[in-house]
Amino acid sequence: EIKYTGSLSKRGLRIALGSGKHYLDVNKINGNLFIKKKIDRESICEFKTECILNLEALLENPLQMFSVEVEILDVNDNAPRFPYSVSRINISESKLKDERFLLVKALDPDYGNNSVCNYKLSENLYFEINVQTWKDGSVSADLLIKEALDREKQAVHNLILTALDCGIPALSVSENTIIGATFVTLNATDADEGLNAELLYSFNPHTSEKAQMKFRLNSRTGELSVNELLDFEQFPLYELFVQAKDFGPNPLTGHCKVIIKVVDSNDNRPEIIVASSQGSVSEDVPIGTVLALFSVTDLDSGNNGRVNCHISDNVEFELQQTMDNVYALVTAKLLDRERKPSFNITIIVKDEGTPPLTNNKTIFLNVLDVNDNAPFFSRALYEIPIAENNIPGSLLCSITAKDPDADLNGALKYSIKETNDSNSFTNYFSINRDNGNIYSLQSFDYEQQTFYTFNVVAKDSGALQLSSSVTINITVLDENDNTPVIVSPWRPHGSIVILEDVPIGTVIALFSVTDMDSGKNGRVNCRISNNDEFKLQQTMDNVYALVTATLLDRERRSSFNVTIVVKDEGSPPLTNNRTIPLNLLDVNDNAPSFSRASFEIPIPENNIPGSLLYSITANDPDAALNGALKYSIVEKNDVNKTFTKYFSINSENGNIYSMQSFDYEQQTFYTFEVVAKDSGTPQLSSSVTVKITVLDENDNSPVIVSPWRPHGSIVSDTISSSAEEGYLVTKVIAIDEDSVQNSRITYHLLQVTDQTLFTLNQYSGELRTRRRFSLRDSSKQRLVIQARDNGNPSLSSTVTILISKFDPEVEGLLTINDEVETEYVSSLNMYLMIGLASASLLLFLTIVICAALKCHHNPAEDEKSAHRISCYSQRDSMISDLPAHSTLYSSDAYWHSVLLAESRKGKMLVRQSMPNGTGFIVSSLERNPEQGTISELADTPIQVRL
């Protein structure tokens, strides 16, 4: 049996592992081990002295494992057997007396005494056996010659060797043996052979019919089995008379008596018979009072019928045995109904069988009450707090006493104990007699009386009345029903007006606060609401001074409403407040300030004198005269740098006006200072730098300086008829006194005799040939070139160039032909002259073409030497030679440059002005062969005076 205090079914008890798992199992409810398969010790533990079956029992939730060992005891259920039924021994007749011959050994699978322990030899005249016991407990037999042998007298001796074990025959049968179970096998022997040795088993007539009904005998095997259920209590013993008969012609019989003892099983529960019992008893009965009498019986015998009797889990009672199996239930302690008013007394009887059987009977006992308990309160003193201003008639508390007695013994009545004092508490309080509820008859005021003390009596209704009293302290709690009061501040100077520059800690006002409540309800905290500029200083109890906490600034805030808030510490807290208006007087502590450190004022040139240029204003947060500003322009000691002749300023509002019309080409900017000064005492001022920037306008047209036009607006030039494509005819150069975009010049062909003959570079002004001249091209070409700036609107200038084609070789002939006077010729002479002229012309053209091809050389060298531009720059102080195809175009409009333009007719010196210049100078230099080229002249510095 596996014992466990918890619920085995919930834990999933089972056999998990072990060699005995196939033979044994466990009951999952009570933990009993039971046999599930027949156990044969000889097949499980053959030749072993101990036979142990190991089991591993498993419990889940939580997981636990227990080891179980079951020992299998041997039962003498096997008869000794020889390996073979006949053993032949050949013995010489000359063998002497006491000669030994080894006999075959019998086998018995049982263990210990149940195994072979002796041998017997059938009776004869010639042989006997000698049985030997070995150290391991086994026995063997030797055959000894007892008398001399004579073959002639008897040649064969038939002997029967019988092996015996020392076990006790298993002829005891348990009364709960199942029907059909074989409990013993009868074994009879017959020395005959054949049918004479075959046996038939049966009951002889001496066996009673009852015994023959209970048991069955197998006629062939001799197995004796149970035929009906056995009951030890009805028949504990049976006698069976068995005979064994052979099948010989004259059957011989053998008889034996089998006595079967029925072994008692514990199959009858003990019984409890109650003779008398009391259903109720007074709680004050003495110890030893008999409450019930009963007897116990058990039909089983021996230990199975021996009964033990006790009371389960009850110390108030005990059992006293008056005689055999007769008991009295008596009180073991004094009873107390208030502790336990009734009992279920369980009497348990248990026999000593295996397994033991139990039975029980419960006796109900009711305990009757006795008035033995006075009322009692849970506390000796009740402290009952109530809030003041309560509603009359309201429930204050419930005072209850307890009396464990029953019925009238525990029915309580409550009352307020009166005193001899005329000030009766019944004028203030009342109590409910039945439940002890205390009610107020008046509304209490903490400021008038803070507590009341009286006694409450509780009395039961028993025959002998018992009572007790308790002291009640009614404490009136203070409520926060009085608002704090602020006494009007004392102002030493009437209405509160102070200068903004008063130091930190200056006293503004004095005031006091009061609260009629007490404790926390009367404890007052004082503060200023949402104001960091002031703070409170407590000078004495509930007296405060309002002082400045930070430096004041009227410009940031000119007035204050200082709200003083008082709040007590009651629950809920009550508050009060008072607001003190406060005004600040201005002090001239702020200098005027401009929004910017400097002002950049752009104005266009050619402005109208007296026009408003800009309005400069400064700010001064001070009030009245401290913030009234006057504006002025700072004068310089230098007479030449006075700005009042150019500008004027309104002293009241800071408006700046122009006194003149400005010209960008003369001066581009003016810088001066404007001062703003307040009217306070002392005066404060500040200044700001003003820069007037003159913006350029496109008011200057481009001036064409190359090609030079000494004889008017038309320029004449010549070009060789053999000029190649890309030949530089001339370079147009124009200058503009304006700046930036207004001075950027582009060149355009407005008119041209032949569009296909010339091309003009838009940016450099270079005029070049598109192709070579042909015979059909006109010898006179007229071109109108425009120089246009990039202003808005744009301004321009034009130049007209007349270009003549010339040929040195035919120039003389053409001149002669033009001077011959026209003569009258006859028609015949005319024809002759035309023919001669045509032949001559063809010959002349042929010669000219050949001479031109022979004398032709690269014109680029001539062009390179004939047309060069030299530039002397003050920016890098270097002279550079620029090729003729250079555009001379630069985005830097502010370079200080000297340009020299060279052509076949002469040289030109051009001074281009800076933005601060006063103009430019154009001069012409005559071409002098002895002087050399422009490149040579450029080596000599040129002084130009502005």
Side-chain angles (χ1 to χ4, degrees):
E1 180 180 359
I2 297 176
K3 293 186 178 181
Y4 182 71
T5 58
S7 175
L8 294 177
S9 60
K10 294 180 180 179
R11 297 289 303 276
L13 176 63
R14 60 188 175 90
I15 301 299
L17 301 169
S19 58
K21 183 177 179 181
H22 301 293
Y23 302 97
L24 302 171
D25 206 347
V26 65
N27 188 306
K28 293 179 174 54
I29 297 175
N30 54 27
N32 292 337
L33 281 174
F34 62 88
I35 299 172
K36 70 176 184 179
K37 183 179 179 181
K38 183 179 179 181
I39 298 175
D40 187 1
R41 185 185 185 282
E42 287 72 33
S43 62
I44 298 173
C45 305
E46 188 175 6
F47 305 118
K48 291 184 179 179
T49 58
E50 281 189 347
C51 185
I52 303 295
L53 293 181
N54 295 311
L55 301 173
E56 297 293 335
L58 184 67
L59 282 173
E60 298 177 351
N61 300 322
L63 188 66
Q64 290 179 293
M65 185 171 286
F66 303 93
S67 297
V68 180
E69 290 185 353
V70 178
E71 183 180 3
I72 307 302
L73 301 178
D74 186 42
V75 175
N76 192 19
D77 55 349
N78 293 282
R81 296 182 181 275
F82 290 98
Y84 35 85
S85 58
V86 177
S87 175
R88 297 181 181 274
I89 301 174
N90 296 318
I91 301 175
S92 174
E93 64 179 341
S94 61
K95 290 294 184 180
L96 300 178
K97 183 180 178 181
D98 294 332
E99 284 283 346
R100 290 178 177 269
F101 299 93
L102 182 63
L103 296 177
V104 64
K105 186 176 181 181
L107 301 176
D108 192 333
D110 292 327
Y111 175 74
N113 289 334
N114 296 330
S115 185
V116 176
C117 65
N118 199 5
Y119 291 92
K120 289 185 179 180
L121 189 65
S122 60
E123 293 184 1
N124 64 89
L125 298 176
Y126 300 99
F127 298 96
E128 62 180 358
I129 60 173
N130 181 19
V131 178
Q132 294 182 356
T133 301
W134 303 91
K135 290 182 179 181
D136 61 353
S138 63
V139 294
S140 62
D142 295 333
L143 184 64
L144 300 178
I145 298 176
K146 186 169 58 175
E147 296 292 340
L149 300 177
D150 187 354
R151 180 183 179 282
E152 286 72 24
K153 289 183 178 180
Q154 189 173 350
V156 176
H157 296 268
N158 292 317
L159 303 175
I160 296 175
L161 179 64
T162 303
L164 302 174
D165 61 26
C166 296
I168 299 173
L171 296 181
S172 295
V173 181
S174 175
E175 64 177 326
N176 57 2
T177 303
I178 61 175
I179 297 175
T182 300
F183 57 89
V184 71
T185 300
L186 301 178
N187 184 21
T189 59
D190 193 327
D192 295 325
E193 296 178 351
L195 292 176
N196 294 331
E198 292 185 12
L199 303 177
L200 182 66
Y201 299 93
S202 62
F203 294 118
N204 70 8
H206 293 96
T207 304
S208 66
E209 294 182 2
K210 186 65 175 177
Q212 292 186 32
M213 292 175 63
K214 293 291 183 181
F215 302 98
R216 182 167 61 86
L217 179 63
N218 190 310
S219 60
R220 300 298 295 176
T221 63
E223 292 179 349
L224 196 59
S225 60
V226 177
N227 194 45
E228 289 183 358
L229 290 177
L230 304 178
D231 189 356
F232 173 82
E233 286 72 31
Q234 293 181 357
F235 291 97
L237 182 68
Y238 293 92
E239 290 184 347
L240 302 179
F241 296 92
V242 180
Q243 65 180 9
K245 182 188 295 183
D246 59 23
F247 286 91
N250 295 314
L252 299 178
T253 61
H255 299 274
C256 72
K257 179 180 180 181
V258 179
I259 299 175
I260 299 175
K261 293 182 179 180
V262 178
V263 178
D264 182 33
S265 294
N266 196 17
D267 56 350
N268 292 282
R269 294 182 179 276
E271 296 290 336
I272 300 174
I273 301 172
V274 178
S276 65
S277 177
Q278 296 185 41
S280 60
V281 64
S282 179
E283 64 175 325
D284 58 350
V285 296
I287 297 174
T289 301
V290 177
L291 304 177
L293 288 174
F294 63 91
S295 62
V296 295
T297 59
D298 193 326
L299 296 176
D300 292 325
S301 61
N303 289 337
N304 296 333
R306 192 173 297 116
V307 178
N308 296 318
C309 187
H310 67 279
I311 299 174
S312 174
D313 299 332
N314 205 310
V315 298
E316 289 83 356
F317 308 95
E318 64 181 2
L319 296 178
Q320 291 182 355
Q321 189 172 5
T322 59
M323 58 185 69
D324 289 343
N325 295 333
V326 176
Y327 296 88
L329 176 64
V330 298
T331 57
K333 290 184 177 181
L334 292 176
L335 303 180
D336 188 357
R337 191 207 64 82
E338 289 73 32
R339 188 175 61 83
K340 194 170 183 179
S342 63
F343 295 90
N344 287 321
I345 306 169
T346 301
I347 301 171
I348 299 174
V349 289
K350 180 179 180 182
D351 61 25
E352 298 180 3
T354 303
L357 298 178
T358 62
N359 203 348
N360 63 77
K361 183 176 286 290
T362 300
I363 297 175
F364 178 76
L365 181 64
N366 186 31
V367 180
L368 301 178
D369 184 47
V370 174
N371 191 17
D372 54 351
N373 293 283
F376 67 94
F377 293 91
S378 59
R379 286 180 286 176
L381 175 66
Y382 284 87
E383 294 282 350
I384 304 172
I386 62 172
E388 64 174 330
N389 307 319
N390 62 300
I391 300 172
S394 59
L395 175 65
L396 302 182
C397 70
S398 181
I399 302 295
T400 57
K402 293 182 180 180
D403 191 331
D405 293 327
D407 301 327
L408 292 177
N409 295 332
L412 302 181
K413 297 295 182 180
Y414 300 92
S415 62
I416 295 176
K417 188 176 182 180
E418 292 293 340
T419 61
N420 296 328
D421 191 357
S422 59
N423 189 13
S424 176
F425 290 103
T426 56
N427 296 328
Y428 302 101
F429 308 98
S430 67
I431 190 168
N432 187 309
R433 291 176 53 83
D434 296 321
N435 55 25
N437 289 345
I438 298 177
Y439 299 90
S440 64
L441 297 177
Q442 295 182 11
S443 180
F444 302 102
D445 187 358
Y446 174 84
E447 285 71 29
Q448 294 181 3
Q449 189 168 347
T450 58
F451 67 93
Y452 301 86
T453 302
F454 56 91
N455 290 328
V456 171
V457 177
K459 185 181 297 184
D460 63 26
S461 303
L464 181 61
Q465 284 187 324
L466 301 176
S467 64
S468 63
S469 63
V470 67
T471 300
I472 308 296
N473 281 342
I474 302 292
T475 303
V476 180
L477 300 179
D478 181 36
E479 281 198 342
N480 196 17
D481 54 350
N482 293 284
T483 303
V485 177
I486 302 174
V487 180
S488 298
W490 173 70
R491 298 172 221 169
H493 306 292
S495 60
I496 301 180
V497 178
I498 61 173
L499 292 173
E500 64 174 325
D501 60 347
V502 295
I504 297 174
T506 301
V507 176
I508 307 301
L510 291 173
F511 62 92
S512 63
V513 295
T514 60
D515 193 322
M516 294 181 64
D517 292 323
S518 63
K520 287 187 176 181
N521 296 331
R523 192 175 300 125
V524 178
N525 296 317
C526 189
R527 64 180 176 85
I528 298 176
S529 175
N530 298 327
N531 201 310
D532 297 330
E533 289 81 359
F534 305 94
K535 65 181 180 179
L536 295 177
Q537 289 181 352
Q538 188 171 6
T539 58
M540 60 185 69
D541 289 343
N542 294 333
V543 177
Y544 295 88
L546 176 64
V547 299
T548 56
T550 60
L551 292 176
L552 303 180
D553 188 357
R554 191 206 63 81
E555 289 71 34
R556 186 173 60 86
R557 190 171 179 182
S558 61
S559 63
F560 297 89
N561 287 321
V562 183
T563 301
I564 300 172
V565 180
V566 288
K567 180 179 180 181
D568 60 27
E569 297 180 5
S571 180
L574 298 179
T575 61
N576 201 349
N577 64 78
R578 182 169 292 242
T579 300
I580 302 174
L582 178 66
N583 295 320
L584 299 182
L585 296 179
D586 185 44
V587 174
N588 192 18
D589 56 349
N590 291 283
S593 63
F594 292 93
S595 59
R596 287 181 284 176
S598 63
F599 288 88
E600 293 277 350
I601 304 173
I603 63 172
E605 64 177 331
N606 306 318
N607 62 300
I608 299 173
S611 59
L612 174 65
L613 302 182
Y614 197 77
S615 181
I616 295 178
T617 57
N619 292 324
D620 191 331
D622 292 326
L625 293 177
N626 295 331
L629 302 181
K630 298 292 182 180
Y631 300 92
S632 62
I633 296 175
V634 177
E635 290 293 339
K636 300 290 185 179
N637 294 328
D638 189 355
V639 178
N640 296 325
K641 291 188 177 181
T642 178
F643 293 100
T644 55
K645 66 180 181 180
Y646 300 108
F647 307 99
S648 67
I649 188 167
N650 188 313
S651 62
E652 301 295 332
N653 56 24
N655 290 345
I656 299 177
Y657 300 91
S658 64
M659 303 296 292
Q660 296 182 11
S661 179
F662 301 102
D663 188 358
Y664 175 84
E665 285 70 32
Q666 292 182 2
Q667 190 166 346
T668 59
F669 66 91
Y670 302 86
T671 303
F672 55 90
E673 288 188 355
V674 172
V675 176
K677 185 182 297 183
D678 62 26
S679 304
T681 301
Q683 281 188 327
L684 300 177
S685 65
S686 63
S687 63
V688 67
T689 300
V690 178
K691 183 178 181 181
I692 304 294
T693 303
V694 181
L695 301 179
D696 181 41
E697 287 192 344
N698 194 18
D699 55 349
N700 293 283
S701 299
V703 176
I704 299 175
V705 297
S706 178
W708 180 245
R709 295 172 291 172
H711 304 295
S713 61
I714 298 176
V715 178
S716 297
D717 202 354
T718 59
I719 184 172
S720 174
S721 61
S722 61
E724 296 292 333
E725 177 186 351
Y727 177 80
L728 177 63
V729 179
T730 187
K731 182 177 180 70
V732 180
I733 300 175
I735 60 176
D736 194 325
E737 284 192 327
D738 294 322
S739 64
V740 195
Q741 295 296 329
N742 295 331
S743 65
R744 303 222 176 172
I745 299 174
T746 57
Y747 303 91
H748 308 275
L749 274 174
L750 296 183
Q751 296 178 12
V752 61
T753 302
D754 190 348
Q755 294 282 353
T756 64
L757 189 56
F758 299 100
T759 178
L760 177 65
N761 189 296
Q762 182 180 1
Y763 301 106
S764 65
E766 293 179 350
L767 181 65
R768 295 179 181 272
T769 57
R770 286 180 181 268
R771 59 178 176 82
R772 295 188 62 177
F773 279 88
S774 65
L775 295 176
R776 282 178 283 184
D777 292 331
S778 174
S779 61
K780 301 290 184 177
Q781 298 287 331
R782 184 175 181 272
L783 294 87
V784 178
I785 298 176
Q786 182 190 54
R788 184 193 307 162
D789 63 22
N790 202 30
N792 186 17
S794 63
L795 301 177
S796 64
S797 297
T798 61
V799 61
T800 302
I801 302 175
L802 293 179
I803 300 175
S804 300
K805 180 179 68 170
F806 75 96
D807 188 346
E809 296 181 0
V810 297
E811 188 177 12
L813 181 60
L814 292 175
T815 302
I816 294 173
N817 289 334
D818 290 338
E819 294 178 354
V820 176
E821 296 181 359
T822 307
E823 298 179 355
Y824 173 77
V825 292
S826 61
S827 59
L828 179 61
N829 292 334
M830 179 64 69
Y831 292 125
L832 290 174
M833 289 176 68
I834 292 173
L836 181 60
S838 299
S840 300
L841 180 61
L842 292 174
L843 177 62
F844 178 74
L845 292 175
T846 303
I847 294 171
V848 169
I849 292 172
C850 292
L853 293 176
K854 185 176 181 179
C855 297
H856 177 72
H857 61 280
N858 189 0
E861 296 295 332
D862 294 339
E863 293 176 14
K864 184 174 181 182
S865 61
H867 297 84
R868 297 183 64 87
I869 299 174
S870 297
C871 175
Y872 175 76
S873 174
Q874 289 184 354
R875 192 179 201 187
D876 51 12
S877 300
M878 292 179 64
I879 294 179
S880 59
D881 289 341
L882 302 177
H885 55 76
S886 173
T887 62
L888 290 178
Y889 179 78
S890 173
S891 60
D892 190 348
Y894 300 100
W895 281 16
H896 185 135
S897 303
V898 174
L899 303 179
L900 291 177
E902 180 183 3
S903 68
R904 291 188 305 274
K905 292 184 178 181
K907 306 186 183 75
M908 184 180 299
L909 176 63
V910 179
R911 167 72 170 85
Q912 183 175 353
S913 67
M914 293 292 289
N916 291 332
T918 58
F920 57 87
I921 300 173
V922 179
S923 61
S924 176
L925 300 178
E926 294 298 329
R927 184 181 183 93
N928 187 355
E930 296 178 359
Q931 256 185 337
T933 64
I934 292 296
S935 298
E936 296 170 350
L937 290 176
D939 294 336
T940 302
I942 301 174
Q943 300 294 328
V944 180
R945 186 178 64 181
L946 299 180

